[in-house]
Amino acid sequence: MDVVFTRCAGLDVHKKSITACRMIPDPTGREAEGIMELRTFGTMTRDLLSLADWLTEASITHVAMESTGEYWKPVYNLLEDTFTVFLVNAAHVKNVPGRKTDKADARWLAKLMRFGLLQASFIPPKGQRDLRDLTRYRTKLVQERVREVNRVQGVLERANIKLASVIADIMGVSGRAMLEALIAGRVDPATMAELAKRRMRSKIPLLEQALTGIVHDHHRPLLAMQLAHIDFLDEQIEALNHAIEASLRALSVDTPSSEGKAPLPVTSHVSPPIASPTLTFTRAVELLDTIPGIDQRGAEVIVAEIGIDMSRFETAPRLAAWAGVAPGNDESAGKQRSGKTRKGNRPLRAILTQLAHAAVRTKGTYLSALYQRLAARRGKNRAIVAVAHAIMRSVFYMLSRQEPYHELGANYFDERRRHYTVDRLARRIEHLGYRVHLEPVTTSVA
């Protein structure tokens, strides 16, 4: 067996402790696998620096790390600039059952690392990781805002105010004005209905009925606190939007300018550098914005999660599987078992599902036709995942070729095998008792 890494280490990372095993060649040649040294470290910054020094004094070059949750990130931050760090999936490095201990896991990781049997998880460069933090936090705030609006709706229902039955968005201009009037104590339905704006004024009689309720004294301060919370969330989301745009512009700069701006973060040893010098993060967002159903915010989330270098994923199917929108494989003894999708990148999978729901509502598009074609046979949920899979494949090729989205059209599936479609529909009509005479229709160009 060929030795790939002669000096390597394995780390089993937990919340409060790190079990490390460093492997170095035996100068006497008695130990073919090398000398293994075990040591336990804490997870405080001082302990992590001691871990780095302990690995450096043995001239360790490659480090394999297994962890769960967020506990690997502090270790990775301090080791990535000095060593080639492999963050591995715990499911890929399972030891023999019944022999699992922290020390055994560290030794097993070091052995697998030495012989090159580990596959590193995709860890983006530091600048992209910072962008991820911003986009993921914005997503959480948007979700919290939706929950707070639902709480407002709950208070209105308990006060017998049926405003949502007439107004689709109770936080719009008209709905917000009526809520402010309700909080101020103006409980006359006719007075509040007159606050309707533009097209909503045609529903004034219906609004008077919806605004007739039983408002108690505790409802008003409760609504006031909820609206103040929504305003605060709006401010935070807007601040994050500006921060994300600034981060995208910073990542799009290849070299620091002469005006004293901070240079770009150093790229990690694990992640390769950006392949194409012409494709930038801002340009990638503009390209993805051309896909039906995807807006700027959705494109920002996708770019923050996958980056702009598609060579790290190699193929579109691998990118779709990594995102968690591709069917899984579970075959044993020649039998195909469950093919449910893997968890993948959960934030990316969540945003792709939302964007797929928006894409299927577009008219005259390939994605909408794909959904309608599959929903009837496979169900709506599977059809949505299939649309998300198609979006992810399109993203791969668009960023690889640096081209905008090319719309195939709603009749793509009919035109792809035109004669089969014609024959199939003609046979269905003949089965109903009609005679079909096929004649091509020619369209004249004026």
Side-chain angles (χ1 to χ4, degrees):
M1 182 179 293
D2 296 333
V3 176
V4 179
F5 307 119
T6 57
R7 294 179 179 270
C8 57
L11 306 180
D12 189 23
V13 182
H14 297 282
K15 181 179 181 180
K16 296 182 179 181
S17 65
I18 301 174
T19 304
C21 175
R22 66 183 185 184
M23 179 182 293
I24 57 178
D26 184 7
T28 63
R30 297 178 181 177
E31 297 290 340
E33 293 185 353
I35 301 175
M36 293 187 182
E37 299 180 8
L38 285 166
R39 189 171 173 182
T40 302
F41 296 87
T43 55
M44 301 296 180
T45 302
R46 181 179 298 178
D47 300 323
L48 297 181
L49 293 175
S50 300
L51 169 64
D53 295 338
W54 185 68
L55 296 176
T56 303
E57 70 181 15
S59 301
I60 300 298
T61 58
H62 292 72
V63 177
M65 179 170 54
E66 174 194 350
S67 178
T68 56
E70 304 283 331
Y71 302 135
W72 63 270
K73 293 185 177 180
V75 184
Y76 191 90
N77 290 338
L78 290 179
L79 299 183
E80 64 173 331
D81 294 331
T82 308
F83 310 96
T84 301
V85 184
F86 278 36
L87 177 65
V88 298
N89 191 332
H92 298 168
V93 293
K94 286 185 176 180
N95 207 334
V96 180
R99 302 180 183 178
K100 178 174 173 55
T101 63
D102 293 343
K103 294 182 178 180
D105 288 345
R107 284 194 295 265
W108 181 244
L109 285 172
K111 287 182 180 180
L112 295 178
M113 183 80 260
R114 182 185 180 186
F115 297 111
L117 299 177
L118 296 179
Q119 182 179 3
S121 301
F122 165 53
I123 306 297
K126 186 177 184 304
Q128 186 180 338
R129 296 203 301 269
D130 296 341
L131 178 62
R132 271 185 176 185
D133 291 340
L134 296 175
T135 56
R136 291 181 179 183
Y137 186 53
R138 181 180 63 182
T139 300
K140 295 296 183 182
L141 292 186
V142 171
Q143 294 172 351
E144 177 60 29
R145 186 186 186 278
V146 173
R147 286 191 289 266
E148 195 66 23
V149 173
N150 290 337
R151 295 185 189 108
V152 172
Q153 174 60 23
V155 174
L156 294 178
E157 289 291 336
R158 292 192 294 272
N160 291 81
I161 303 295
K162 307 292 292 185
L163 189 60
S165 300
V166 182
I167 301 179
D169 182 14
I170 62 174
M171 299 307 298
V173 176
S174 300
R176 187 60 185 264
M178 296 174 191
L179 290 177
E180 295 287 352
L182 185 64
I183 295 173
R186 289 179 288 173
V187 295
D188 182 29
T191 304
M192 289 189 291
E194 286 295 331
L195 298 174
K197 308 293 183 182
R198 299 179 181 177
R199 291 183 297 177
M200 196 60 60
R201 296 193 63 82
S202 62
K203 300 181 180 180
I204 287 181
L206 196 57
L207 284 172
E208 292 183 6
Q209 300 179 26
L211 292 170
T212 302
I214 305 173
V215 181
H216 298 293
D217 293 338
H218 76 281
H219 288 147
R220 296 187 181 89
L222 191 58
L223 287 173
M225 287 186 288
Q226 292 172 341
L227 293 183
H229 189 198
I230 292 174
D231 293 338
F232 171 76
L233 292 174
D234 289 336
E235 294 175 1
Q236 296 297 307
I237 293 172
E238 186 64 24
L240 283 173
N241 290 338
H242 294 306
I244 290 171
E245 293 174 1
S247 180
L248 287 171
R249 289 193 298 267
L251 289 173
S252 300
V253 178
D254 295 330
T255 56
S257 65
S258 58
E259 299 179 357
K261 294 183 179 179
L264 289 178
V266 180
T267 305
S268 167
H269 294 287
V270 177
S271 301
I274 296 174
S276 176
T278 57
L279 181 63
T280 62
F281 279 80
T282 53
R283 175 58 180 165
V285 172
E286 295 174 358
L287 291 176
L288 299 188
D289 195 13
T290 61
I291 302 177
I294 296 184
D295 57 358
Q296 180 182 353
R297 305 309 177 198
E300 290 172 352
V301 175
I302 294 177
V303 170
E305 295 297 331
I306 69 175
I308 59 178
D309 181 14
M310 295 297 100
S311 62
R312 55 169 61 99
F313 298 105
E314 297 182 359
T315 63
R318 287 192 63 181
L319 174 59
W322 181 82
V325 291
N329 293 321
D330 187 4
E331 182 180 353
S332 180
K335 295 182 179 180
Q336 185 68 34
R337 297 182 293 189
S338 174
K340 65 179 181 180
T341 57
R342 299 183 298 176
K343 295 180 180 179
N345 185 313
R346 295 185 179 183
L348 180 58
R349 174 172 175 163
I351 191 64
L352 285 174
T353 304
Q354 296 176 13
L355 297 176
H357 278 94
V360 300
R361 290 183 174 87
T362 57
K363 296 182 179 180
T365 63
Y366 163 80
L367 297 176
S368 177
L370 175 64
Y371 174 79
Q372 298 296 335
R373 179 185 178 90
L374 295 177
R377 296 185 289 112
R378 305 286 291 174
K380 295 182 179 180
N381 292 335
R382 291 182 177 180
I384 285 293
V385 175
V387 173
H389 180 268
I391 292 176
M392 202 72 264
R393 292 175 63 95
S394 299
V395 167
F396 178 86
Y397 292 115
M398 290 169 62
L399 297 184
S400 299
R401 303 169 183 173
Q402 303 182 27
E403 297 178 354
Y405 180 77
H406 176 66
E407 178 57 56
L408 297 177
N411 61 341
Y412 168 77
F413 295 102
D414 293 335
E415 295 293 339
R416 185 178 55 174
R417 304 177 66 182
R418 185 184 183 91
H419 57 287
Y420 290 107
T421 303
V422 172
D423 293 343
R424 176 174 57 83
L425 295 178
R427 286 195 300 269
R428 290 188 62 182
I429 295 177
E430 289 176 353
H431 288 163
L432 295 176
Y434 296 91
R435 180 176 298 176
V436 179
H437 175 67
L438 300 178
E439 181 179 351
V441 178
T442 57
T443 57
S444 59
V445 179

